[in-house]
Amino acid sequence: IQAWYAKNRNRVGYEFKYKEIALVPRNNSFAEEERISNDISQIEREIRKDPSAFNLIASGPRNNSYHRGGNVDWTPIAEIYNKSKIVANFLMGIPEKSTSPIFRDERNRYVILKSEGKRPTPLEAIRRFVQEVIQREKMEESFDDWIKERRKEIPITVY
């Protein structure tokens, strides 16, 4: 299992640790959208001036993130993708320790992400999956060997 994992580490996917700042419009009015857009733009300017401001803003009252303090601990990208395809795509595109541009997700939240880390999914989290893959590979290999043996033993005549 460990040998397969070492050989296929880049195929098993990644886990991300990140923070998010999310602002949610109270209603669908144009004025509310404009207010939220101005607020998130102001937050982005603050972060560009002082990157350490991200942590302060993420843990503050302006952040409407579903996660406490905007913190999301190590989570597989597949799980993030199942919750939000847009967040997953932005996480895959930003370098570690940097922030994303402002974007809008499926829940109509205005979001800024900060990537805290990216790592291959640990073996323990996917051990069962790796075992299934190895078993499947061995079954296919055994079946191919069995077919080759049968072809050698059984004469095939074409009329």
Side-chain angles (χ1 to χ4, degrees):
I1 291 174
Q2 289 176 342
W4 186 95
Y5 178 77
K7 188 171 116 183
N8 295 287
R9 191 174 221 157
N10 61 343
R11 290 178 39 205
V12 297
Y14 294 96
E15 287 186 331
F16 287 88
K17 182 177 183 179
Y18 65 98
K19 292 182 184 243
E20 71 174 10
I21 296 173
L23 300 184
V24 182
R26 293 184 194 121
N27 56 47
N28 292 331
S29 71
F30 182 73
E32 179 65 9
E33 290 289 332
E34 186 175 24
R35 184 187 72 79
I36 291 292
S37 178
N38 290 337
D39 285 354
I40 197 78
S41 295
Q42 176 61 33
I43 288 170
E44 185 181 41
R45 283 192 293 277
E46 289 176 36
I47 293 168
R48 297 284 180 238
K49 263 192 268 178
D50 180 14
S52 66
F54 194 100
N55 296 338
L56 184 63
I57 295 167
S59 62
R62 292 193 282 181
N63 191 6
N64 297 124
S65 172
Y66 300 123
H67 308 283
R68 184 180 175 123
N71 293 316
V72 181
D73 205 10
W74 293 106
T75 308
I77 192 66
E79 190 176 317
I80 297 168
Y81 184 83
N82 288 338
K83 291 179 184 173
S84 174
K85 294 171 179 56
I86 297 170
V87 169
N89 284 327
F90 271 93
L91 277 173
M92 290 296 287
I94 60 174
E96 226 174 288
K97 307 294 182 201
S98 64
T99 58
S100 72
I102 298 168
F103 65 92
R104 210 156 171 191
D105 70 2
E106 295 91 338
R107 299 176 190 134
N108 291 326
R109 303 178 314 153
Y110 288 84
V111 181
I112 302 174
L113 301 174
K114 180 180 180 185
S115 174
E116 297 280 308
K118 174 183 176 180
R119 67 182 184 193
T121 304
L123 176 59
E124 293 311 311
I126 59 167
R127 179 177 289 280
R128 190 168 160 165
F129 168 76
V130 171
Q131 285 175 327
E132 290 172 5
V133 168
I134 291 171
Q135 285 176 337
R136 207 173 318 120
E137 287 175 353
K138 285 183 179 179
M139 284 174 45
E140 289 173 3
E141 187 179 311
S142 295
F143 182 74
D144 289 344
D145 291 345
W146 181 79
I147 291 290
K148 287 177 187 172
E149 285 298 315
R150 292 297 141 246
R151 285 184 178 157
K152 288 179 186 174
E153 295 173 1
I154 301 171
I156 299 175
T157 313
V158 179
Y159 296 99

